[in-house]
Amino acid sequence: MTDASTAARAVTTSERLDRLPFTKQHLRVLTGSGIGWALDAMDVGLISFVIAALAVQWQLQPAEAGWIASIGFLGMAVGATLGGLLADRFGRRQIFAVTLVVYGLATGASALVGGLALLLVLRFFVGLGLGAELPVASTYVSEFAPARMRGRLIVILEAFWAIGWTAAALIGFFVIPASESGWRWAFAIGAIPAVYALIVRWGLPESARWLDRRGRHDEADAVVRRFEKSASVTWEAKRRLTTGPIELPPAATTARDRLSALWSREFRLRTASLWIVWFCVNFAYYGAFIWLPSILVQQGYDLVRSFGYTLIITLAQLPGYALAAWLIEVWGRRLTLSVFLAGSAAAAVFFGTASTEATVIAAGMALSFFNLGAWGALYAVSPELYPTSLRATGSGWAAGVGRIASIVAPLVVASLLVTEGSTVILFVMFGVFFAVAAAATWGLVDARGRTLDER
């Protein structure tokens, strides 16, 4: 091929995005999505403190308290599966904004309830929006991130979860115990995402890769140019994005095709492995952390002290994310994910056998450190396993399967909390789930440094 013909070749959306440095536009996408992610975490975290407070105020049985958590995860399971399909059909940004509105309004309305039945209905709608948002947000950011730093940026995105959970712990420590209406004020604060959704809808660009895959090449070109301008990159007119069709055919074009493609010969091993990891991690994480304040209360700590310990344990999430963000581009996705899951398994057993205040806090911090680092790696690897035409669907259905575990886990914990020695039994069980997830990671594809599949 001559130099002239090489120069005349059109540069694709994928190539242009992958060769960019990290720009202010990337920072805008990351922080805009990350704030939404943090608000999601704040909502999920708040419910663990609200359950502990309502169990006292409303004299709830363990099974009733368990349903407050599980009904939200039922909504998340439905939301994750539908959200991925809708995001592949209508766009990442649109669905991202809608989900924030749904769960933000439902959370705010929860502050006004007077009984368990209505609270359960609203918690389902909270979960519906929340479950759809998380896989869509990780897909959205991954499609803007240059290949050489994509994994790291997704882990940083996931690190916003720690910020939101820490905010929930602070609200739980300072607001909820302050009065009998403290839990209502906590829910009212959770309505903030409904306002933030308007900023997301109009302030962030649509995914250029998704626009290009849908044949909207001029719009994709305009989005990429904003990033190139931010990086002070200009291209010669003859090397601009082509407005013709993408050469590679899409892997799927309809909702039915997308679901079938997940189990085609090419994707079935990675889909099965990903679903196992998502299921096991969700079961162990939500089984442990949703009930953590209540477990500490059962062990003899008063409500305020249990909330304070939970806050300290939560702070260990941030260094876990930081280490995972570094290792994921050094070790790769699979090794990083499996090591953090193995660490989570060991920390869970340690927590279950801890008997003093110091060891409870140390074990809890270790569990928080390893588990949230694993979450960061899991969200990084999930969108990379599938091509653009079914990326959100693949990530969303994996998350949806995981939410089935998060529905079951709080109910299992509630049934076991009444038995003697339940803490040891529970956390050894969580350790087993983490270990199974660590083994399943080796069925995944490690896409470190590779461009995303544009089919």
Side-chain angles (χ1 to χ4, degrees):
M1 184 178 290
T2 64
D3 291 341
S5 63
T6 301
R9 182 179 65 84
V11 179
T12 66
T13 297
S14 180
E15 290 173 319
R16 292 167 69 187
L17 288 171
D18 280 344
R19 67 177 62 185
L20 286 172
F22 186 79
T23 69
K24 290 182 179 180
Q25 288 295 322
H26 288 104
L27 181 62
R28 187 180 175 201
V29 166
L30 181 62
T31 55
S33 303
I35 292 171
W37 201 289
L39 292 170
D40 293 351
M42 185 177 74
D43 184 275
V44 176
L46 279 176
I47 200 63
S48 66
F49 298 97
V50 170
I51 287 173
L54 288 183
V56 176
Q57 285 191 29
W58 290 359
Q59 298 181 333
L60 299 178
Q61 297 298 314
E64 293 175 316
W67 270 110
I68 296 176
S70 290
I71 197 70
F73 292 124
L74 177 60
M76 290 176 75
V78 176
T81 54
L82 291 179
L85 287 167
L86 292 172
D88 278 333
R89 173 66 180 85
F90 296 106
R92 287 47 165 137
R93 182 185 65 171
Q94 309 284 66
I95 303 305
F96 183 37
V98 169
T99 59
L100 286 167
V101 170
V102 169
Y103 95 79
L105 292 177
T107 297
S110 299
L112 305 176
V113 301
L116 181 61
L118 183 56
L119 179 60
L120 292 178
V121 172
L122 290 171
R123 289 307 302 173
F124 174 81
F125 283 99
V126 169
L128 193 67
L130 180 60
E133 192 275 328
L134 294 177
V136 172
S138 60
T139 298
Y140 175 72
V141 174
S142 71
E143 290 183 342
F144 277 112
R148 65 188 177 279
M149 65 180 78
R150 185 174 58 242
R152 186 162 294 160
L153 292 184
I154 299 302
V155 177
I156 293 172
L157 170 68
E158 234 286 295
F160 279 87
W161 186 271
I163 296 172
W165 201 282
T166 300
L170 289 170
I171 294 169
F173 185 72
F174 291 107
V175 177
I176 293 178
S179 69
E180 286 193 1
S181 299
W183 63 271
R184 296 184 186 275
W185 285 108
F187 276 142
I189 294 171
I192 293 173
V195 177
Y196 178 70
L198 299 176
I199 302 173
V200 172
R201 173 62 181 84
W202 299 111
L204 297 179
E206 182 55 88
S207 166
R209 296 178 194 264
W210 180 83
L211 289 168
D212 206 27
R213 182 71 269 174
R214 301 292 294 183
R216 295 160 63 177
H217 306 295
D218 291 342
E219 294 175 67
D221 182 46
V223 171
V224 179
R225 286 182 185 282
R226 288 166 61 181
F227 282 75
E228 291 171 343
K229 182 178 179 181
S230 182
S232 300
V233 175
T234 58
W235 303 106
E236 306 90 338
K238 60 187 175 183
R239 289 179 62 83
R240 289 178 181 172
L241 173 65
T242 177
T243 56
I246 299 175
E247 293 182 5
L248 292 172
T253 56
T254 67
R256 178 177 294 181
D257 289 343
R258 292 185 183 102
L259 293 176
S260 297
L262 296 181
W263 294 99
S264 65
R265 178 173 302 210
E266 180 180 1
F267 299 117
R268 67 179 59 150
L269 175 60
R270 65 185 75 175
T271 295
S273 299
L274 188 65
W275 286 18
I276 291 170
V277 175
W278 270 92
F279 186 92
C280 291
V281 172
N282 270 270
F283 186 94
Y285 174 76
Y286 287 108
F289 282 91
I290 287 294
W291 280 99
L292 187 58
S294 299
I295 291 171
L296 292 173
V297 168
Q298 189 192 57
Q299 290 182 334
Y301 303 106
D302 61 49
L303 197 63
V304 174
R305 284 177 76 193
S306 74
F307 285 4
Y309 290 166
T310 303
L311 173 59
I312 296 170
I313 289 169
T314 299
L315 293 175
Q317 295 179 6
L318 287 170
Y321 282 126
L323 183 59
W326 178 66
L327 290 176
I328 202 164
E329 300 295 0
V330 177
W331 286 358
R333 281 59 164 147
R334 283 184 303 196
L335 180 57
T336 301
L337 180 55
S338 63
V339 167
F340 273 84
L341 286 171
S344 299
V349 175
F350 179 28
F351 187 90
T353 56
S355 57
T356 65
E357 288 188 22
T359 55
V360 164
I361 293 174
M365 292 180 71
L367 181 59
S368 192
F369 175 91
F370 283 109
N371 197 188
L372 276 297
W375 269 116
L378 180 57
Y379 270 105
V381 74
S382 297
E384 296 179 340
L385 298 178
Y386 302 103
T388 299
S389 59
L390 63 129
R391 182 167 297 123
T393 298
S395 297
W397 272 76
V401 169
R403 299 312 174 193
I404 296 173
S406 61
I407 296 166
V408 175
L411 299 176
V412 171
V413 174
S415 66
L416 289 176
L417 276 177
V418 297
T419 64
E420 187 175 349
S422 59
T423 301
V424 176
I425 297 170
L426 284 170
F427 281 87
V428 169
M429 177 177 64
F430 296 150
V432 171
F433 272 84
F434 281 131
V436 171
T441 60
W442 294 96
L444 305 177
V445 173
D446 196 322
R448 177 180 53 159
R450 303 181 195 172
T451 191
L452 291 173
D453 187 341
E454 293 303 323
R455 287 177 294 164

